Amino acid sequence: MLKKIALSCLALTMCSTLAAGEQSQMRKKVAIITNFSETDAAAHSLVKNFTDTLEMSTPRNIAFQHDYYWAGGNIDAAKSHAKRIVSSQPDAIFAATTPVVRALLQETKTIPIVFATVADPVGSGFVENLAAPGKNVSGFINSEGSIAGKWVQYLKELVPGMSCVSMMYNPNTAPYYKYYVSPFEETARSMNMISALSPVADEKAIETAIGALSSKKCGLVLMNDSFNFIHRRTISSVSERNGVPVAAYNKATTQDEALVAYGPEEADAYKKAAGYVRKILDGAQVGKLPVQLNTHFYLSVNMQKAKKLGIQIPDSFLSRVDEEVE
């Protein structure tokens, strides 16, 4: 009889322990939204840096539900996704690119938002200042406006005879475009080049803009804009067909349309953003987490593109390159 009672007590203890374990398993919902295309492998790779880092930094008693939203460069889709996300009341939101952050902030002033691939959060009205954002949002800036001057310098170095240069962007997806314009124009002027702006909104406009540059023998600079990222393969084929050399802002663009690219290692920002989300889930106030600038920048050149354009890359340039894309 005593043996049966002991076994019963043991069984009850085990059941109680299991029940407690189940109760201690906390579930957290993190919504992930970008203005990139769902079919874009490069975009998925960036987002995976965020999710993998978040999972690895989390204790075993916490399980995540990740909800993914891809706006695909469509502002209306971004707004629709933002409404759906806020109505689902996630514990935190990770937002990549300016358009989706803007859409989210129109829907919530309380749910914590951590961003990456955003250019000018102060000028865009997202945060009060970088050191103390003060609202429900913080994150990582991909580059400062001065980087536009670097794009012009590198393109001119590779194409010394170039006498004019234009910068392409979509005003709808890059409402911060003025952030880059002054450094772009000032650098072009200092190098005795005529500068122009090429605002575009669709692929037909891309073809028209690049065709006009070809007749003037101009170069093209791509602003850090999700529209340019989404349409990078179209830009690649059209610019190559028209013999227009392109300077851009990240590794993915060098692998597609750009002759040369200089910009941040965006994967770093996505990993660091996961760290911010982890802190928020632990109780940190997002408005007290400083906005940070990417610190790891790289220079890459597309050797195959150079060959197709008949451009000889000098050894002095190659000695400074972080990556040669073949």
Side-chain angles (χ1 to χ4, degrees), residues 8-27:
S8 298
C9 288
L10 177 61
L12 285 170
T13 302
M14 290 176 66
C15 289
S16 298
T17 302
L18 288 170
E22 290 174 358
Q23 290 175 358
S24 66
Q25 180 77 14
M26 295 183 292
R27 295 196 65 81

Side-chain angles (χ1 to χ4, degrees), residues 30 66 151 312:
V30 177
H66 298 309
W151 300 330
Q312 180 67 41

Side-chain angles (χ1 to χ4, degrees), residues 28-95:
K28 297 290 184 179
K29 182 188 290 187
V30 177
I32 299 167
I33 177 171
T34 85
N35 199 39
F36 302 135
S37 171
E38 187 173 3
T39 59
D40 193 325
H44 274 274
S45 179
L46 282 175
V47 171
K48 192 172 187 299
N49 283 288
F50 170 81
T51 54
D52 286 355
T53 303
L54 184 60
E55 295 283 357
M56 288 188 294
S57 66
T58 301
R60 291 183 179 180
N61 67 325
I62 297 178
F64 284 106
Q65 175 185 332
H66 298 309
D67 294 335
Y68 298 85
Y69 300 83
W70 305 86
N74 187 309
I75 301 300
D76 290 335
K79 292 178 180 179
S80 176
H81 288 329
K83 289 180 182 294
R84 194 176 310 164
I85 288 170
V86 171
S87 67
S88 72
Q89 290 295 297
D91 295 287
I93 304 170
F94 172 62

Side-chain angles (χ1 to χ4, degrees), residues 314-325:
D315 291 339
S316 60
F317 190 90
L318 291 176
S319 66
R320 289 174 282 138
V321 165
D322 298 297
E323 181 181 18
E324 295 179 30
V325 179

Side-chain angles (χ1 to χ4, degrees), residues 252-289:
T253 56
T254 319
Q255 291 171 344
D256 288 297
E257 81 274 19
L259 167 66
V260 60
Y262 176 73
E265 176 53 82
E266 290 186 289
D268 286 353
Y270 283 65
K271 293 174 183 178
K272 291 176 180 177
Y276 265 18
V277 170
R278 183 75 187 85
K279 288 180 179 181
I280 290 165
L281 296 178
D282 284 342
Q285 295 182 39
V286 64
K288 293 184 178 180
L289 297 174

